[in-house]
Amino acid sequence: MPPLPTWTSLHPLIIHFPIALLYVAPLFILAAIFWRRAREGWSLAALVLMGLGTLSLFLAVATGEAAGRLAERTPQITAALERHESLAETGQVVFSFLTLAFAILVLVPLVLKWEPRAWLRQTVSVVFLFAYLVGLGQLTRVAHEGGRLVHEFGVHSIVTATGPDATTPSPEAPREEPHERDDH
Amino acid sequence: MIRFRSAFLSPLALGATLLSAAGPANPTPQTGTLNDLQAAYNGESNARATYLAYATKAQKEGYAKAAALFRAAAKAEEIHAANHAQVIKTLGAEPKADIKAPEVKSTRENLQAAIKGETYERDVMYPGFLTQARKEGKVDAIRTFNYAKTAEAEHARLYQEALNNLDGWKTQNASFYVCPVCGYTSTTRPQEKCPSSFTASARFLTIG
């Protein structure tokens, strides 16, 4: 079994979760709009995806900060890191708000056992989808800035197979060389 | 021995007391991260003492803003030394510093010496230490060296700014902002977070 990655090297692994989950979620909302019989199921699935995506976005920001503290710095890299970090934090707020709003839209009728009129439900869903698309635009900018850091500035997360410094290997013990991840 | 001494002493000649602090740090950058940490700890501890002496001199000469910058930089060096010390301890050693009496000249000359010291740390010492720490996979050492290197770059820039317009640095009530985690030093409080350690700007220390 491969060794567990350290907190500082998790960012390249974590970032794929918000991207995948948050991009797929609106497809489920679309399915809920067009496949009315299974509307509740699609909507709940979309909500779960959004919730998990938003949680992983928080995790991505936290691990990104840990990785950023180890990144080779130049004024250009520091500026790019700041931009990436700032956009990611805005993304956290945007998707927290979107997820909360969608939770209200999906759960309130279920809890109250209230069936809104079809035109109202469809209109609200379409408006929400447009708002969500704006959020996805924000997420795309975050990912693009992260990509620039890796591919334009050559910033890589440090992956240590043996954990943090506290584990000082004996001179005799063979140790795995640290390496850098290419994905962002 | 002669080669060793010349490699060892040439930066000293350039940067007077500051470089005497930083000089032993990099006779050869490939001496192992623990040695590098000890050298960096010694350098930062001496730099702190030197900057405090420079601040007193600048204050006496009427350069209040330059004095504030020296005090802020001294605080930053203190933070770097504490960070290095912490990593040294996690590696099972005790941090050691040999504090030398700083050589204080005029504020203009002190700024020139400080620029040389910071430039050396930014361009030679810490990059070498970082290369070694990355090779060894010492994450905590990479972090503390990175923090110091980024802050020293800012110090060099600010000292140069002061030297370019020293008469303008007589301003009273000038303040600098220092990150309590990484020592990043700035003339303004960052909008949200420290660009180096991502510490909340509200936690920044105000040094005047």
Side-chain angles (χ1 to χ4, degrees):
Chain A
M1 189 179 155
L4 287 173
T6 56
W7 178 252
T8 51
S9 56
L10 270 179
H11 189 60
L13 308 175
I14 296 291
I15 51 161
H16 298 99
F17 286 91
I19 291 171
L21 295 167
L22 294 173
Y23 270 93
V24 167
L27 300 179
F28 283 68
I29 302 174
L30 269 179
I33 292 171
F34 290 109
W35 194 347
R36 294 180 189 179
R37 278 185 194 170
R39 193 184 62 241
E40 278 178 11
W42 287 115
S43 298
L44 283 172
L47 181 59
V48 170
L49 289 175
M50 263 184 239
L52 290 175
T54 304
L55 279 178
S56 62
L57 189 55
F58 275 84
L59 201 56
V61 171
T63 54
E65 287 186 353
R69 292 183 188 113
L70 303 178
E72 190 75 57
R73 294 301 187 98
T74 63
Q76 292 81 5
I77 290 175
T78 298
L81 267 173
E82 265 190 291
R83 219 168 24 246
H84 181 48
E85 215 260 348
S86 167
L87 284 169
E89 286 201 326
T90 308
Q92 280 181 327
V93 175
V94 168
F95 279 99
S96 297
F97 174 77
L98 285 170
T99 305
L100 185 68
F102 193 67
I104 292 169
L105 289 177
V106 173
L107 297 178
V108 166
L110 278 178
V111 172
L112 298 180
K113 296 192 168 98
W114 167 59
E115 183 69 24
R117 291 185 181 176
W119 67 266
L120 178 64
R121 195 178 51 237
Q122 301 291 72
T123 308
V124 169
S125 296
V126 170
V127 169
F128 180 82
L129 261 182
F130 275 106
Y132 195 90
L133 282 178
V134 175
L136 283 186
Q138 173 72 16
L139 187 64
T140 306
R141 288 179 67 200
V142 177
H144 176 67
E145 285 297 329
R148 281 188 66 209
L149 276 168
V150 174
H151 300 292
E152 194 177 322
F153 297 107
V155 176
H156 305 283
S157 289
I158 294 169
V159 178
T160 45
T162 48
D165 308 15
T167 54
T168 313
S170 69
E172 301 83 36
R175 67 174 283 142
E176 209 167 320
E177 281 288 313
H179 56 281
E180 294 177 338
R181 284 190 68 97
D182 262 352
D183 48 355
H184 50 88
Chain B
M1 183 64 184
I2 291 168
R3 267 184 70 193
F4 172 76
R5 282 185 63 185
S6 63
F8 191 49
L9 293 175
S10 56
L12 297 180
L14 292 173
T17 316
L18 254 190
L19 290 185
S20 78
N26 197 27
T28 51
Q30 310 294 318
T31 51
T33 293
L34 183 56
N35 287 349
D36 291 346
L37 281 162
Q38 290 284 17
Y41 175 74
N42 186 52
E44 298 290 355
S45 303
N46 274 284
R48 176 185 175 272
T50 305
Y51 289 158
L52 287 177
Y54 287 178
T56 308
K57 178 72 176 175
Q59 197 73 50
K60 269 184 200 162
E61 290 184 355
Y63 299 110
K65 191 176 173 185
L69 173 58
F70 280 129
R71 279 193 292 273
K75 186 68 193 171
E77 309 302 3
E78 182 187 321
I79 291 163
H80 297 157
N83 287 345
H84 296 336
Q86 205 175 338
V87 183
I88 290 168
K89 283 178 188 165
T90 65
L91 293 174
E94 272 303 310
K96 286 173 199 156
D98 174 22
I99 309 289
K100 291 176 179 144
E103 190 184 340
V104 182
K105 296 179 180 172
S106 70
T107 296
R108 182 172 292 279
E109 288 169 300
N110 291 341
L111 279 169
Q112 285 165 344
I115 290 167
K116 279 176 185 166
E118 299 288 13
T119 307
Y120 168 75
E121 289 187 349
R122 180 195 66 194
D123 295 341
V124 181
M125 186 177 100
Y126 281 120
F129 289 177
L130 275 162
T131 304
Q132 179 66 20
R134 283 179 199 281
K135 215 178 269 179
E136 292 180 25
K138 302 266 190 238
V139 172
D140 290 344
I142 295 170
R143 189 183 300 113
T144 189
F145 288 153
N146 228 5
Y147 283 171
K149 179 176 167 258
T150 307
E152 310 307 10
E154 279 307 295
H155 292 166
R157 193 183 62 76
L158 290 168
Y159 286 144
Q160 189 62 59
E161 213 173 279
L163 191 61
N164 291 347
N165 178 27
L166 193 52
D167 286 337
W169 281 61
K170 289 184 172 172
T171 326
Q172 299 291 327
N173 302 324
S175 290
F176 291 86
Y177 300 89
V178 178
C179 175
V181 172
C182 70
Y184 184 87
T185 309
S186 173
T187 50
T188 53
R189 190 182 287 276
Q191 280 197 328
E192 288 175 9
K193 287 184 173 182
C194 170
S196 178
S197 65
F198 307 111
T199 305
S201 67
R203 289 184 58 199
F204 267 56
L205 308 168
T206 308
I207 312 278

